[in-house]
Amino acid sequence: MLLLTLGLLLAGLWLPMVTLTQLLIFDNTFSVISGISGLFERGNLLLGLLLLAFSVCVPLLKMGLLFRLVNHGRLSTVRLKRLLYLMHDYGRWAMLDVLVVAVLVVMVKLGAFASIEVHPGLYLFAGAVLMIMLLTGVVVKLHQPSPE
């Protein structure tokens, strides 16, 4: 499941996510990665860094931690507890990227001269984020000490 989720995440980051059409003439199709690089090219460094951090780095970090927790054969109890703490307390940040996409869609829908067309990248990315959340819950629950 982790490998499938990683594949969904990478495809969702690179495949086209949305096409913005303005005044029925100007079309811009972008993915998460192309959107972030466009922000950097236009000088929006802070917004580009925020999206890079929360849409790319945080999900990839969570995937890495999940792989580590699943293959924890040589982890000490203290290190295992620390990883579980990270997964639990920082897991809520994974939904920030979905919020960014939702705000973008609402902003475009509110414009009188603009429309948005959703592409498979959006669904793959959202599916990956949901799978990461589901797998995080399962892995954390499996590694919590049982009440005795």
Coordinates of all heavy atoms in Angstrom, one line a residue, residues 21-70:
T21 N -8.9 28.8 -17.6 CA -9.3 29.5 -18.9 C -9.8 30.9 -18.5 O -10.8 31.0 -17.7 CB -10.3 28.7 -19.7 OG1 -9.8 27.4 -19.9 CG2 -10.6 29.4 -21.0
Q22 N -9.2 31.9 -19.1 CA -9.6 33.3 -18.8 C -10.0 33.9 -20.1 O -9.4 33.9 -21.1 CB -8.4 34.1 -18.2 CG -7.9 33.5 -16.9 CD -6.7 34.2 -16.4 OE1 -5.9 34.6 -17.2 NE2 -6.5 34.2 -15.1
L23 N -11.2 34.5 -20.0 CA -11.8 35.2 -21.2 C -11.9 34.3 -22.4 O -11.9 34.8 -23.5 CB -11.0 36.5 -21.5 CG -10.8 37.5 -20.4 CD1 -9.9 38.6 -20.9 CD2 -12.2 38.1 -20.0
L24 N -12.1 33.0 -22.2 CA -12.3 32.0 -23.2 C -11.1 32.0 -24.2 O -11.2 31.3 -25.2 CB -13.6 32.3 -24.0 CG -14.8 32.3 -23.2 CD1 -16.0 32.7 -24.0 CD2 -15.1 30.9 -22.6
I25 N -10.0 32.6 -23.9 CA -8.9 32.7 -24.8 C -7.6 32.1 -24.2 O -6.9 31.3 -24.8 CB -8.6 34.1 -25.3 CG1 -9.8 34.7 -26.0 CG2 -7.4 34.2 -26.2 CD1 -9.7 36.2 -26.3
F26 N -7.3 32.5 -23.0 CA -6.0 32.2 -22.4 C -6.2 30.9 -21.5 O -6.9 30.9 -20.5 CB -5.5 33.4 -21.5 CG -5.4 34.6 -22.3 CD1 -6.4 35.7 -22.1 CD2 -4.4 34.8 -23.2 CE1 -6.3 36.8 -22.8 CE2 -4.3 36.0 -23.9 CZ -5.2 37.0 -23.7
D27 N -5.4 29.9 -21.9 CA -5.5 28.6 -21.1 C -4.1 28.4 -20.4 O -3.1 28.6 -21.1 CB -5.7 27.4 -22.0 CG -7.1 27.3 -22.4 OD1 -8.0 27.9 -21.8 OD2 -7.4 26.6 -23.4
N28 N -4.1 28.1 -19.2 CA -2.9 27.7 -18.4 C -3.2 26.4 -17.8 O -4.1 26.3 -16.9 CB -2.6 28.8 -17.3 CG -2.2 30.1 -17.9 OD1 -1.5 30.1 -18.9 ND2 -2.6 31.2 -17.3
T29 N -2.5 25.4 -18.2 CA -2.6 24.1 -17.5 C -1.3 23.9 -16.7 O -0.2 24.1 -17.1 CB -2.6 22.9 -18.6 OG1 -3.8 23.2 -19.4 CG2 -2.8 21.6 -17.9
F30 N -1.6 23.4 -15.4 CA -0.4 23.3 -14.6 C -0.6 22.1 -13.6 O -1.7 21.7 -13.3 CB 0.0 24.5 -13.8 CG -1.1 25.1 -12.9 CD1 -1.1 24.7 -11.6 CD2 -2.1 25.9 -13.4 CE1 -2.1 25.1 -10.7 CE2 -3.0 26.4 -12.5 CZ -3.1 26.0 -11.2
S31 N 0.5 21.6 -13.2 CA 0.6 20.6 -12.1 C 1.1 21.3 -10.9 O 1.4 22.4 -10.9 CB 1.5 19.5 -12.5 OG 2.9 19.9 -12.6
V32 N 1.2 20.5 -9.8 CA 1.8 21.1 -8.6 C 3.2 21.5 -8.8 O 3.6 22.7 -8.5 CB 1.7 20.0 -7.4 CG1 2.5 20.6 -6.2 CG2 0.3 19.7 -7.1
I33 N 4.0 20.7 -9.5 CA 5.4 21.0 -9.7 C 5.6 22.2 -10.6 O 6.3 23.2 -10.4 CB 6.2 19.8 -10.3 CG1 6.2 18.7 -9.2 CG2 7.6 20.2 -10.7 CD1 6.8 18.9 -7.9
S34 N 4.8 22.2 -11.7 CA 4.9 23.4 -12.7 C 4.3 24.7 -12.0 O 4.9 25.7 -12.3 CB 4.2 23.1 -14.0 OG 2.8 23.0 -13.8
G35 N 3.3 24.5 -11.2 CA 2.8 25.7 -10.5 C 3.9 26.3 -9.5 O 4.0 27.5 -9.4
I36 N 4.6 25.4 -8.8 CA 5.6 25.9 -7.9 C 6.7 26.5 -8.6 O 7.2 27.6 -8.3 CB 6.1 24.7 -7.0 CG1 5.0 24.3 -6.0 CG2 7.4 25.1 -6.2 CD1 5.3 23.0 -5.3
S37 N 7.2 25.9 -9.7 CA 8.3 26.5 -10.5 C 7.8 27.8 -11.1 O 8.6 28.8 -11.2 CB 8.8 25.5 -11.6 OG 7.8 25.3 -12.6
G38 N 6.5 27.9 -11.5 CA 6.0 29.2 -12.1 C 6.1 30.3 -11.0 O 6.4 31.5 -11.3
L39 N 5.7 29.9 -9.8 CA 5.8 30.9 -8.7 C 7.2 31.4 -8.5 O 7.5 32.6 -8.3 CB 5.3 30.3 -7.4 CG 3.8 30.1 -7.3 CD1 3.4 29.3 -6.1 CD2 3.1 31.5 -7.3
F40 N 8.2 30.5 -8.5 CA 9.6 30.9 -8.4 C 10.0 31.8 -9.5 O 10.7 32.8 -9.3 CB 10.5 29.7 -8.3 CG 10.5 29.0 -6.9 CD1 10.3 27.6 -6.9 CD2 10.6 29.7 -5.8 CE1 10.2 27.0 -5.6 CE2 10.6 29.1 -4.5 CZ 10.4 27.7 -4.5
E41 N 9.6 31.5 -10.8 CA 10.0 32.2 -11.9 C 9.4 33.7 -11.9 O 10.0 34.6 -12.4 CB 9.5 31.6 -13.2 CG 10.3 30.3 -13.6 CD 9.6 29.5 -14.7 OE1 8.6 30.0 -15.3 OE2 10.1 28.4 -15.0
R42 N 8.2 33.8 -11.3 CA 7.6 35.1 -11.2 C 8.0 35.9 -10.0 O 7.5 37.0 -9.7 CB 6.1 34.9 -11.2 CG 5.5 34.5 -12.5 CD 4.0 34.3 -12.5 NE 3.5 33.8 -13.7 CZ 3.4 32.5 -14.0 NH1 3.8 31.6 -13.2 NH2 2.9 32.1 -15.2
G43 N 8.9 35.3 -9.2 CA 9.4 36.0 -8.0 C 8.6 35.9 -6.8 O 8.9 36.6 -5.8
N44 N 7.6 35.0 -6.8 CA 6.8 34.8 -5.6 C 7.5 33.7 -4.7 O 7.0 32.6 -4.6 CB 5.4 34.3 -5.9 CG 4.7 35.4 -6.7 OD1 4.8 36.6 -6.3 ND2 3.9 35.0 -7.7
L45 N 8.7 34.0 -4.2 CA 9.5 33.0 -3.5 C 8.8 32.5 -2.2 O 8.9 31.3 -2.0 CB 10.9 33.6 -3.1 CG 11.7 34.1 -4.3 CD1 13.0 34.7 -3.9 CD2 12.0 32.9 -5.3
L46 N 8.2 33.3 -1.4 CA 7.6 32.9 -0.2 C 6.5 31.9 -0.5 O 6.4 30.8 0.1 CB 7.1 34.1 0.7 CG 6.5 33.7 2.0 CD1 7.5 32.9 2.9 CD2 6.0 34.9 2.7
L47 N 5.6 32.3 -1.4 CA 4.5 31.4 -1.7 C 5.0 30.1 -2.3 O 4.5 29.0 -2.0 CB 3.5 32.1 -2.6 CG 2.2 31.3 -2.9 CD1 1.5 30.9 -1.7 CD2 1.3 32.2 -3.8
G48 N 6.0 30.2 -3.2 CA 6.6 29.0 -3.8 C 7.2 28.1 -2.8 O 7.0 26.9 -2.8
L49 N 7.9 28.7 -1.8 CA 8.5 27.9 -0.7 C 7.5 27.2 0.1 O 7.6 26.0 0.5 CB 9.5 28.7 0.1 CG 10.8 29.1 -0.6 CD1 11.5 30.1 0.3 CD2 11.6 27.9 -0.8
L50 N 6.4 27.9 0.5 CA 5.3 27.4 1.3 C 4.7 26.2 0.5 O 4.4 25.1 1.2 CB 4.3 28.4 1.6 CG 4.7 29.4 2.7 CD1 3.6 30.5 2.8 CD2 4.8 28.7 4.0
L51 N 4.3 26.4 -0.7 CA 3.7 25.3 -1.5 C 4.7 24.1 -1.6 O 4.3 22.9 -1.5 CB 3.2 25.7 -2.8 CG 2.0 26.6 -2.8 CD1 1.6 27.1 -4.2 CD2 0.8 25.8 -2.2
L52 N 6.0 24.4 -1.9 CA 7.0 23.3 -2.0 C 7.0 22.5 -0.7 O 7.1 21.3 -0.7 CB 8.3 23.9 -2.3 CG 9.5 22.9 -2.4 CD1 9.3 21.9 -3.6 CD2 10.8 23.7 -2.6
A53 N 7.1 23.3 0.4 CA 7.2 22.6 1.7 C 5.9 21.8 2.0 O 6.1 20.6 2.4 CB 7.4 23.7 2.8
F54 N 4.8 22.3 1.9 CA 3.6 21.6 2.3 C 2.9 20.7 1.3 O 2.2 19.8 1.7 CB 2.5 22.6 2.8 CG 2.9 23.3 4.1 CD1 3.2 24.6 4.1 CD2 3.0 22.5 5.3 CE1 3.6 25.2 5.3 CE2 3.3 23.1 6.5 CZ 3.6 24.5 6.5
S55 N 3.2 20.9 0.0 CA 2.7 20.0 -1.0 C 3.6 19.0 -1.5 O 3.2 18.0 -2.0 CB 2.2 20.9 -2.2 OG 1.2 21.8 -1.9
V56 N 4.9 19.2 -1.3 CA 5.9 18.2 -1.8 C 6.7 17.6 -0.6 O 6.7 16.4 -0.4 CB 6.8 18.8 -2.8 CG1 7.9 17.8 -3.3 CG2 6.1 19.4 -4.0
C57 N 7.3 18.5 0.2 CA 8.2 18.0 1.2 C 7.5 17.2 2.4 O 7.9 16.2 2.8 CB 9.1 19.1 1.8 SG 10.2 19.8 0.5
V58 N 6.4 17.8 2.9 CA 5.7 17.2 4.0 C 5.1 15.8 3.6 O 5.4 14.8 4.3 CB 4.6 18.1 4.6 CG1 3.7 17.4 5.5 CG2 5.3 19.3 5.3
P59 N 4.4 15.7 2.5 CA 4.0 14.4 2.1 C 5.1 13.4 1.9 O 5.0 12.2 2.3 CB 3.2 14.6 0.8 CG 2.7 16.0 0.9 CD 3.8 16.7 1.6
L60 N 6.2 13.8 1.2 CA 7.3 12.9 1.0 C 8.0 12.5 2.3 O 8.4 11.3 2.5 CB 8.3 13.5 0.1 CG 7.9 13.6 -1.4 CD1 8.9 14.3 -2.2 CD2 7.7 12.2 -2.0
L61 N 8.1 13.5 3.3 CA 8.6 13.2 4.6 C 7.7 12.2 5.3 O 8.2 11.2 5.9 CB 8.8 14.4 5.4 CG 9.3 14.3 6.8 CD1 10.7 13.8 6.8 CD2 9.2 15.6 7.5
K62 N 6.4 12.4 5.2 CA 5.5 11.4 5.9 C 5.6 10.0 5.3 O 5.6 9.0 6.0 CB 4.1 11.9 5.8 CG 3.7 13.0 6.7 CD 2.3 13.3 6.8 CE 1.6 12.1 7.5 NZ 0.2 12.3 7.9
M63 N 5.8 10.0 4.0 CA 6.0 8.6 3.3 C 7.3 8.0 3.8 O 7.3 6.8 4.1 CB 6.0 8.8 1.8 CG 4.7 9.1 1.1 SD 3.5 7.9 1.4 CE 4.2 6.5 0.6
G64 N 8.3 8.8 3.9 CA 9.6 8.2 4.4 C 9.5 7.7 5.9 O 10.0 6.7 6.2
L65 N 8.8 8.5 6.7 CA 8.5 8.1 8.1 C 7.7 6.8 8.1 O 7.9 5.9 9.0 CB 7.9 9.2 8.9 CG 8.8 10.4 9.3 CD1 7.9 11.4 9.9 CD2 9.9 9.9 10.2
L66 N 6.7 6.7 7.3 CA 5.8 5.5 7.2 C 6.7 4.3 6.8 O 6.5 3.2 7.4 CB 4.7 5.7 6.3 CG 3.5 6.5 6.8 CD1 2.5 6.8 5.7 CD2 2.8 5.8 7.9
F67 N 7.5 4.4 5.8 CA 8.4 3.3 5.4 C 9.3 2.9 6.6 O 9.5 1.7 6.8 CB 9.3 3.7 4.2 CG 8.6 3.5 2.9 CD1 8.3 4.6 2.1 CD2 8.2 2.3 2.4 CE1 7.6 4.5 0.9 CE2 7.6 2.1 1.2 CZ 7.3 3.2 0.4
R68 N 9.8 3.9 7.3 CA 10.7 3.6 8.4 C 9.9 2.9 9.5 O 10.5 2.0 10.2 CB 11.3 4.9 8.9 CG 12.3 4.8 10.0 CD 13.6 4.2 9.5 NE 14.6 4.2 10.5 CZ 15.3 3.1 10.9 NH1 15.1 2.0 10.2 NH2 16.1 3.2 11.8
L69 N 8.7 3.3 9.8 CA 7.9 2.7 10.9 C 7.5 1.3 10.5 O 7.5 0.4 11.4 CB 6.7 3.5 11.2 CG 6.9 4.8 12.0 CD1 5.6 5.6 12.0 CD2 7.3 4.4 13.4
V70 N 7.2 1.0 9.3 CA 6.9 -0.3 8.8 C 8.1 -1.3 8.9 O 7.9 -2.4 9.3 CB 6.3 -0.3 7.4 CG1 6.1 -1.7 6.8 CG2 4.9 0.4 7.4

